[in-house]
Amino acid sequence: MSRSWKERAAAVRLEGHALLLAARDPRTPRLARALVWSLAAYALSPIDLIPDFIPILGHLDDVVIVGAGLWIARRMIPEAVLSECRERARSKAAEGKDPGKDRGGAQG
């Protein structure tokens, strides 16, 4: 069954929030943390590898670089940490809280 674009966008946002939570967790390897924060900075930076005003290629480079980087980061983060962070992201989304407001690391 095909999911709608809204469902896919919500899933990507949830996974992004989980990765940011994992990047704050002390159990996450430093290289994975650095990769997640670098990707976030690249995604938010106005400076691009290929300028966005070039049709299709301008946005495609962002999708490829950020997507590949997040795929690698997910492989570097321990599954226990990532599953815990996904659950925390789901609970915050269910409460309707803004993901950017959560500043907590690992609980315990």
Side-chain angles (χ1 to χ4, degrees):
M1 180 179 220
S2 177
R3 297 188 317 176
S4 72
W5 282 103
K6 285 185 179 183
E7 291 171 339
R8 290 180 188 191
V12 167
R13 183 172 184 200
L14 188 69
E15 187 70 11
H17 184 201
L19 286 169
L20 287 174
L21 290 172
R24 295 180 185 138
D25 194 301
R27 298 172 292 172
T28 300
R30 287 183 182 175
L31 186 59
R33 286 184 195 185
L35 180 59
V36 170
W37 290 118
S38 297
L39 290 168
Y42 179 80
L44 297 173
S45 172
I47 300 170
D48 284 334
L49 191 60
I50 299 173
D52 288 341
F53 64 81
I54 297 174
I56 300 173
L57 292 178
H59 294 289
L60 186 62
D61 76 316
D62 294 338
V63 171
V64 170
I65 290 171
V66 173
L70 292 177
W71 181 80
I72 293 168
R74 282 193 347 232
R75 301 301 182 271
M76 296 171 70
I77 297 171
E79 187 58 38
V81 174
L82 196 52
S83 63
E84 180 183 315
C85 291
R86 282 179 180 140
E87 186 56 41
R88 287 177 50 210
R90 277 189 209 99
S91 68
K92 295 291 182 187
E95 292 172 9
K97 291 188 177 179
D98 181 11
K101 303 278 185 201
D102 183 21
R103 299 287 183 234
Q107 301 297 324

